[in-house]
Amino acid sequence: MNKKVAVEESLTGLKELLEEEGYTVVNPGSQEEVLAMVVTGLDNNTMNMQDINTRVPVIEMAGKTPEQVLARIKELE
């Protein structure tokens, strides 16, 4: 089972929680196959990454706790 998740650099609390739960955290710009991608906001291109094309679920972190995002990721497994 692929336990890699792409997480924006600024989401350190979520990164730490995912790593504690056994997930590998990678940069959203990596070409690695991931279970999901977590971003801070879908309407704000803070990373200036307009060319990212993904076929995995994108989870918006805004308004959610790291635990809520973790629960959503576990649902995807």
Side-chain angles (χ1 to χ4, degrees):
M1 173 81 43
N2 182 6
K3 291 196 64 148
K4 287 184 185 175
V5 180
V7 179
E8 279 190 18
E9 190 68 32
S10 63
L11 299 174
T12 54
L14 176 62
K15 285 181 176 184
E16 291 170 2
L17 178 62
L18 289 172
E19 289 171 349
E20 288 172 9
E21 292 289 323
Y23 291 89
T24 301
V25 177
V26 298
N27 185 305
S30 77
Q31 298 297 314
E32 297 184 55
E33 187 175 325
V34 295
L35 183 63
M37 181 181 299
V38 183
V39 297
T40 54
L42 296 176
D43 61 341
N44 186 3
N45 187 10
T46 57
M47 296 179 64
N48 197 26
M49 300 174 89
Q50 299 171 347
D51 59 344
I52 292 179
N53 186 7
T54 182
R55 288 188 168 92
V56 299
V58 177
I59 302 169
E60 184 175 8
M61 183 73 187
K64 296 178 183 72
T65 66
E67 291 78 12
Q68 289 171 317
V69 173
L70 173 61
R72 175 66 182 114
I73 291 168
K74 285 185 175 186
E75 290 174 3
L76 299 172
E77 291 186 70

